[in-house]
């Protein structure tokens, strides 16, 4: 095998996951135990410069989930996220700093429910209201959904209707008896459901692509600040209620530094992981980046090698 044939990886972790998943399984170099910190230490905010491996961590978690079935993952990308419709979801009439975290909680509860319903060990206190909500979300095309943009576009549409009578009273009504969807009632029911579930397995809801199609518009930065705040609050609620779930946010460091929010640094200190490949050493061969390169070369060649 020539040097050109050695598979060192792809620029995008998503492509690496689909084309060469073994690179993320056997060729993943985790010098500082980042995966263990996420799984075992309640870390949820993964920070690092572009190309530092944030998406690779998300992709590896997905592959580990597929291979050992000991936890579930759902990964969502904000590539084409509709920020303006998102901000128009009418859950609150308060200022953006209050309204947007509530909107994110609503969207992320639905995203979490997408994962929960796939878990055969998931148990909840069934009643007509909850069953009606789940059925309504399925009928409206929100559940299941692999795209946060789809959830936002449907739920922010004025034509979005559910059978309010079913949700409130648990009684079925005919198609002609449908009334305008009361999003506050749905939100309250989702909170009641998702924060009381009992599950054997852990569920990780991974949010990636925060820098995709990002402009300098203030609504985007306000929305991303609200996302991190909402994830922090939701993770606290999951933990308090002993629900095996966590929202994971992958964010570029330079974008995070531009975000507002009074608790930003607290979240970073308590729940953040900073990916940093820089090492100020005299022996370059002892650096983690060189070890990663050699690890992937060994994986391609099937034998130990030092390509330097």
């Amino acid at each position: 095998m020539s040097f050109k044939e050695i598979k060192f990886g792809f620029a995008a972790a998503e492509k690496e996951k689909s084309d060469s998943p073994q690179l993320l399984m056997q060729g993943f170099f985790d010098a500082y135990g980042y995966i263990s910190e996420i799984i075992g230490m309640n870390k949820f905010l993964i920070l690092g410069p572009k190309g530092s491996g944030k998406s690779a961590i998300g992709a590896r978690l997905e592959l580990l989930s597929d291979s050992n079935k000991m936890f579930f993952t759902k990964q969502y990308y904000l590539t084409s996220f509709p920020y303006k419709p998102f901000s128009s979801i009418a859950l609150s009439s308060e200022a953006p700093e209050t309204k947007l975290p509530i909107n994110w909680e609503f969207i992320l509860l639905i995203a979490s429910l997408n994962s929960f319903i796939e878990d055969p060990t998931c148990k909840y206190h069934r009643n007509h209201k909850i069953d009606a909500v789940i059925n309504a979300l399925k009928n409206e095309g929100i559940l299941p959904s692999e795209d946060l943009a789809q959830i936002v576009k449907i739920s922010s549409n004025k034509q979005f209707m559910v059978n309010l009578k079913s949700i409130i009273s648990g009684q079925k009504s005919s198609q002609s008896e449908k009334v305008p969807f009361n999003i506050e009632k749905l939100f309250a029911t989702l909170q009641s459901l998702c924060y009381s579930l009992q599950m054997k397995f852990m569920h990780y809801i991974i949010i990636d692509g925060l820098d995709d199609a990002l402009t300098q518009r203030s609504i985007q930065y306000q929305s991303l600040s609200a996302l991190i705040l909402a994830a922090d609050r939701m993770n606290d609620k999951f933990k308090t209620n002993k629900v095996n779930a966590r929202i994971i946010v992958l964010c570029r460091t330079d974008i995070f530094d531009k975000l507002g929010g009074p608790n930003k640094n607290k979240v970073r200190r308590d729940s953040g992981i900073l990916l940093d490949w820089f090492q100020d050493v005299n022996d370059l061969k002892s650096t983690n980046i060189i070890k990663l390169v050699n690890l992937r070369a060994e994986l391609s060649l099937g034998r130990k090698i030092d390509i330097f």
Side-chain angles (χ1 to χ4, degrees):
M1 177 181 286
S2 68
F3 184 83
K4 290 183 178 180
E5 294 176 298
I6 297 176
K7 291 184 178 180
F8 291 110
F10 296 83
E14 307 93 88
K15 183 170 179 59
E16 192 165 289
K17 183 183 69 174
S18 61
D19 290 12
S20 298
Q22 72 278 6
L23 293 177
L24 288 165
M25 294 297 284
Q26 292 83 37
F28 186 86
F29 188 76
D30 191 0
Y32 301 112
Y34 294 134
I35 297 295
S36 296
E37 282 195 77
I38 295 170
I39 293 176
M41 297 180 63
N42 298 319
K43 302 290 187 179
F44 81 88
L45 178 62
I46 316 303
L47 298 170
K50 188 175 181 64
S52 59
K54 300 180 298 298
S55 295
I57 286 178
R60 179 170 169 81
L61 284 171
E62 279 197 287
L63 291 172
L64 288 172
S65 170
D66 292 340
S67 65
N68 62 28
K69 303 299 182 182
M70 294 305 294
F71 57 85
F72 289 77
T73 60
K74 283 285 185 184
Q75 189 154 8
Y76 294 92
Y77 298 91
L78 301 187
T79 305
S80 56
F81 191 76
Y83 289 97
K84 189 173 181 179
F86 168 74
S87 65
S88 71
I89 296 175
L91 278 166
S92 170
S93 58
E94 300 292 334
E97 57 268 23
T98 301
K99 174 182 178 178
L100 295 180
I102 295 173
N103 288 4
W104 268 119
E105 184 177 1
F106 171 70
I107 297 300
L108 292 175
L109 284 173
I110 296 175
S112 300
L113 193 56
N114 265 295
S115 183
F116 299 159
I117 61 176
E118 295 180 359
D119 186 346
T121 72
C122 181
K123 297 179 181 179
Y124 62 92
H125 298 293
R126 298 191 64 171
N127 59 49
H128 292 298
K129 183 187 293 186
I130 289 176
D131 288 342
V133 164
I134 293 176
N135 289 332
L137 291 176
K138 289 179 178 179
N139 290 337
E140 296 297 321
I142 285 183
L143 200 68
S145 175
E146 303 298 323
D147 185 8
L148 293 184
Q150 179 186 3
I151 297 174
V152 170
K153 289 175 182 177
I154 294 176
S155 59
S156 62
N157 193 313
K158 292 182 179 180
Q159 299 302 311
F160 182 33
M161 308 282 282
V162 296
N163 192 325
L164 186 59
K165 190 174 182 179
S166 276
I167 294 177
I168 294 176
S169 67
Q171 298 176 357
K172 292 184 178 180
S173 59
S174 67
Q175 187 74 15
S176 62
E177 293 176 309
K178 279 196 169 186
V179 296
F181 171 49
N182 187 320
I183 199 167
E184 293 90 347
K185 293 287 185 182
L186 175 58
F187 182 44
T189 305
L190 285 171
Q191 288 178 308
S192 175
L193 170 61
C194 291
Y195 295 134
S196 64
L197 291 171
Q198 296 178 344
M199 298 170 290
K200 177 181 178 181
F201 301 113
M202 192 71 183
H203 290 250
Y204 297 102
I205 312 303
I206 304 168
I207 312 300
D208 196 2
L210 274 66
D211 56 333
D212 290 347
L214 187 64
T215 68
Q216 296 298 318
R217 294 178 182 174
S218 61
I219 186 60
Q220 293 181 329
Y221 285 98
Q222 286 178 331
S223 297
L224 296 182
S225 297
L227 165 62
I228 293 172
L229 177 59
D232 185 40
R233 290 175 176 174
M234 289 179 67
N235 288 335
D236 283 344
K237 291 178 184 178
F238 284 140
K239 186 176 181 180
T240 299
N241 292 290
K242 298 181 179 180
V243 177
N244 289 330
R246 193 176 316 141
I247 311 296
I248 306 292
V249 180
L250 313 178
C251 182
R252 259 175 37 196
T253 312
D254 60 314
I255 291 177
F256 181 81
D257 290 340
K258 294 178 181 178
L259 302 180
N263 296 319
K264 183 179 75 170
N265 290 327
K266 175 182 176 294
V267 172
R268 179 175 185 165
R269 182 182 66 249
D270 294 344
S271 304
I273 295 174
L274 178 62
L275 308 185
D276 187 1
W277 288 88
F278 175 75
Q279 291 174 278
D280 187 11
V281 297
N282 293 324
D283 181 13
L284 291 179
K285 289 189 177 183
S286 68
T287 60
N288 292 329
I289 190 66
I290 298 300
K291 292 177 182 178
L292 171 62
V293 171
N294 280 331
L295 174 62
R296 294 204 160 183
E298 291 168 10
L299 188 61
S300 288
L301 298 173
R303 58 183 173 85
K304 286 279 187 180
I305 188 173
D306 182 355
I307 66 172
F308 297 94

